Amino acid sequence: MGISNLGKGAILSYIAIFLNIIISFVYTPWMLNKIGTSDYGLYNLILSFISYFTIDFGLNAATSRFVTVYRAAGNNKMVENIQGLMLKIFLLISMIIFVLLIICYFFLSEIFQGLTTTEIERLKVLYIIAGTFSILSFSLKPLEGALNAYELFVTAKIIDMFYKVGSVLFIVVALYLGGNIYMLVLINGSIGFGCSIIRFVYWHKITGLKPNFRFSDQKEIKSIVSFSGWTFLIGLAQRFRLAFIPTVLGIFSNSEQIAIFSLGMTMEAMTWTLSSALNGLFLPKVARLVHEKDHMSILNLMIRVGRIQLFIVTLIFTGFVIVGQKFINLWVGNKFADVYWVVLFLTFTNLISNTLSVASDMIISENKIKYTAPNVFICSCFGIVFSCMVANSFGAIGTALCSGIALIITQILNIYTYQKKLNLDMSLFFRKVHLKILPALSFLALLFYSLFNYYDINGWDGIIISSLMYVVVFITISYLFLLDTYEKNLISLILK
């Protein structure tokens, strides 16, 4: 795949991210006002509840990994076999989910006792609609990993954007024409299923391959289950690492601290999404290099990608350090000033973790994820335990600090794993990436932080102008003094 195609995929990733942000800040309040609080609550409740049943247990990542590896080896027969096997596994899980959803249907009133009788009746109809489309879409989920494995990033991103934008546009039209909440869920589900069909048809058309549903191999199934299990463990740990903290604060602290931490989580999620848009795009290339046993090229790729991601992460993190406190005070008020520290503690490790995406891809390609999964799970558990210990005295800031420390320890253990299990020269990586970039940009951030606080810039106009000034100077300094020839050429290729 050419760099320009990869660049288009990266650009589309960022466009999709900004679309999500716009939708969150513009469309969501409008829809809430249009359908009312009760229906909006039911709409989100049913989507959230159904999502607990459609967890893929790491199987989508397994699809991407195994298809990528066999494609790198030029073994199209095994690609067809894996696709057929994964579709059968997902179909089996879909049948199990179908049974579980039927059972839960008869207990909805007991599960959601806070809803009125009328709301329960409406919820049951929504449940049937959302459940049906979720099962249909879930059965075709392996095609998401297959598109990435074949480096069809542009197509994958366009389909994802069509789902998000298409859903919004059709729902807006439906509401203007007098549509109700049932129509909203029907539109959301049908477009999602339609996108799944498009993925299947496009993959088949481009590759010319057909899933082999007759394939069954115990050794391959064992490898898939093992990989999926470790991937699911990581996903579970990451999901509950922060999601469980509000419960901890509810037990040991108070509702105000829960609100502070929840706002911090929201902003952490936004910064993570922005800074991790390139993650996973290099998996097919890494798989090819692993197949060729070219570790030096992988290290060089890791350094190149790590430098690019570090520029992005540093801009986001230091930008928040500079204007974040004033932004939060204007956005939610001075009483939530502690959100600033919560976000800093939760996002600091992005400066390391997001630069190591190629190493993570290599762990996946070599099927050595079992060496990093325990690091994530154990450290997440310790983070929650220590959060319980400090929640009463230090509230949201204390729990965020514990979570941040747990993340730092996780990264240290992962770096050691990359050095020992992947034979990557991590000291060379950090010399070429962080030591080359961070000192100058840290000094620049400190300078702007001092200037903006000295002149006491306030108001939305002040924040926007200050942010734009910092971005312009950051990009200029980086381009003139920190970017190498390859990175400058890459920018030119992306912009073509």
Side-chain angles (χ1 to χ4, degrees):
M1 180 185 65
I3 294 177
S4 59
N5 192 33
L6 178 60
K8 290 175 184 177
I11 291 171
L12 285 172
S13 293
Y14 282 107
I15 292 175
I17 289 168
F18 285 114
L19 279 175
N20 283 334
I21 294 174
I22 292 172
I23 289 171
S24 297
F25 283 100
V26 179
Y27 164 73
T28 301
W30 176 84
M31 186 177 71
L32 171 61
N33 182 64
K34 199 73 175 175
I35 66 176
T37 304
S38 177
D39 278 355
Y40 180 75
L42 291 177
Y43 176 78
N44 283 280
L45 173 63
I46 200 63
L47 295 181
S48 174
F49 185 68
I50 294 293
S51 70
Y52 287 112
F53 293 89
T54 54
I55 299 174
D56 70 2
F57 302 100
L59 289 168
N60 195 39
T63 303
S64 183
R65 186 263 168 189
F66 283 91
V67 171
T68 298
V69 169
Y70 286 122
R71 179 178 177 245
N75 193 341
N76 287 335
K77 181 176 177 58
M78 279 306 299
V79 171
E80 292 181 328
N81 291 340
I82 290 297
Q83 276 297 92
L85 181 61
M86 296 305 295
L87 284 169
K88 285 194 297 184
I89 292 174
F90 271 88
L91 182 60
L92 176 61
I93 296 175
S94 296
M95 294 171 64
I96 296 172
I97 293 173
F98 177 70
V99 173
L100 291 175
L101 288 176
I102 289 177
I103 294 172
C104 288
Y105 175 83
F106 296 101
F107 296 93
L108 288 176
S109 57
E110 283 75 21
I111 296 173
F112 303 109
Q113 296 184 14
L115 300 181
T116 65
T117 303
T118 302
E119 288 174 332
I120 287 293
E121 292 304 315
R122 293 166 69 82
L123 183 71
K124 287 182 176 179
V125 178
L126 297 174
Y127 184 85
I128 293 172
I129 299 172
T132 300
F133 282 108
S134 294
I135 292 172
L136 292 174
S137 298
F138 184 82
S139 61
L140 294 174
K141 201 170 181 63
L143 274 303
E144 295 178 14
L147 287 179
N148 290 332
Y150 272 82
E151 301 173 275
L152 301 171
F153 301 119
V154 173
T155 302
K157 296 300 180 183
I158 289 175
I159 293 173
D160 290 341
M161 288 172 60
F162 173 77
Y163 169 66
K164 294 181 177 68
V165 176
S167 297
V168 170
L169 291 178
F170 279 104
I171 287 175
V172 168
V173 172
L175 289 177
Y176 270 119
L177 295 177
N180 54 27
I181 189 174
Y182 304 130
M183 186 64 69
L184 267 62
V185 176
L186 180 63
I187 290 171
N188 187 73
S190 58
I191 292 180
F193 179 59
C195 288
S196 297
I197 296 293
I198 292 172
R199 290 189 189 97
F200 182 83
V201 173
Y202 186 82
W203 179 82
H204 172 66
K205 182 179 179 181
I206 292 297
T207 64
L209 302 178
K210 297 180 180 180
N212 180 15
F213 294 101
R214 296 181 179 181
F215 175 76
S216 180
D217 183 275
Q218 293 299 319
K219 182 180 178 181
E220 205 68 39
I221 293 174
K222 184 178 179 180
S223 296
I224 291 172
V225 171
S226 175
F227 179 86
S228 300
W230 289 115
T231 305
F232 176 66
L233 183 65
I234 291 176
L236 188 67
Q238 291 175 335
R239 183 168 187 172
F240 288 100
R241 173 176 58 83
L242 295 182
F244 193 69
I245 298 300
T247 302
V248 171
L249 291 169
I251 296 172
F252 298 102
S253 189
N254 54 57
S255 59
E256 181 180 335
Q257 295 302 311
I258 296 174
I260 290 171
F261 191 87
S262 297
L263 285 170
M265 276 201 307
T266 300
M267 298 196 69
E268 184 271 342
M270 289 184 181
T271 59
W272 168 258
T273 303
L274 283 169
S275 59
S276 61
L278 301 181
N279 288 5
L281 293 180
F282 294 90
L283 177 59
K285 184 169 185 176
V286 172
R288 286 196 298 271
L289 294 174
V290 167
H291 179 71
E292 296 167 2
K293 298 182 180 179
D294 190 353
H295 280 215
M296 182 54 67
S297 293
I298 294 176
L299 180 60
N300 290 334
L301 177 65
M302 182 177 168
I303 291 171
R304 292 201 302 268
V305 175
R307 283 175 58 86
I308 294 170
Q309 290 186 301
L310 184 59
F311 281 115
I312 297 170
V313 176
T314 303
L315 175 60
I316 295 170
F317 180 77
T318 56
F320 184 80
V321 170
I322 294 169
V323 301
Q325 187 70 80
K326 297 180 185 298
F327 170 80
I328 289 169
N329 290 343
L330 285 173
W331 182 39
V332 290
N334 294 336
K335 66 177 181 178
F336 291 104
D338 287 348
V339 171
Y340 176 75
W341 296 104
V342 171
V343 176
L344 289 186
F345 290 144
L346 293 180
T347 59
F348 174 76
T349 54
N350 289 351
L351 293 168
I352 300 175
S353 60
N354 281 9
T355 64
L356 298 171
S357 62
V358 171
S360 299
D361 290 340
M362 190 176 178
I363 281 283
I364 292 172
S365 297
E366 294 196 359
N367 200 11
K368 293 181 178 179
I369 197 170
K370 63 182 179 182
Y371 295 113
T372 57
N375 300 341
V376 179
F377 185 78
I378 293 172
C379 290
S380 294
C381 291
F382 274 113
I384 292 174
V385 170
F386 284 109
S387 292
C388 293
M389 297 171 63
V390 304
N392 184 51
S393 300
F394 300 100
I397 292 180
T399 55
L401 179 60
C402 289
S403 297
I405 292 173
L407 285 171
I408 292 173
I409 296 173
T410 301
Q411 292 308 315
I412 292 173
L413 293 174
N414 284 346
I415 291 167
Y416 177 80
T417 302
Y418 300 150
Q419 179 82 38
K420 295 298 182 181
K421 299 299 181 180
L422 300 181
N423 296 316
L424 293 172
D425 189 344
M426 298 307 297
S427 61
L428 176 63
F429 170 79
F430 282 106
R431 289 199 306 271
K432 293 284 188 178
V433 180
H434 294 76
L435 290 181
K436 290 277 188 179
I437 296 173
L438 283 183
L441 294 182
S442 297
F443 176 77
L444 178 66
L446 180 61
L447 178 63
F448 267 80
Y449 180 85
S450 302
L451 286 173
F452 290 163
N453 279 276
Y454 178 78
Y455 288 105
D456 195 26
I457 296 173
N458 292 301
W460 287 113
D461 291 344
I463 289 177
I464 293 172
I465 293 172
S466 301
S467 299
L468 290 175
M469 286 176 56
Y470 179 65
V471 170
V472 170
V473 175
F474 183 99
I475 293 174
T476 303
I477 295 296
S478 298
Y479 189 86
L480 293 177
F481 303 106
L482 298 176
L483 266 64
D484 58 28
T485 303
Y486 169 82
E487 290 156 357
K488 292 178 180 179
N489 291 336
L490 181 63
I491 292 174
S492 299
L493 284 172
I494 291 174
L495 295 177
K496 284 183 179 180

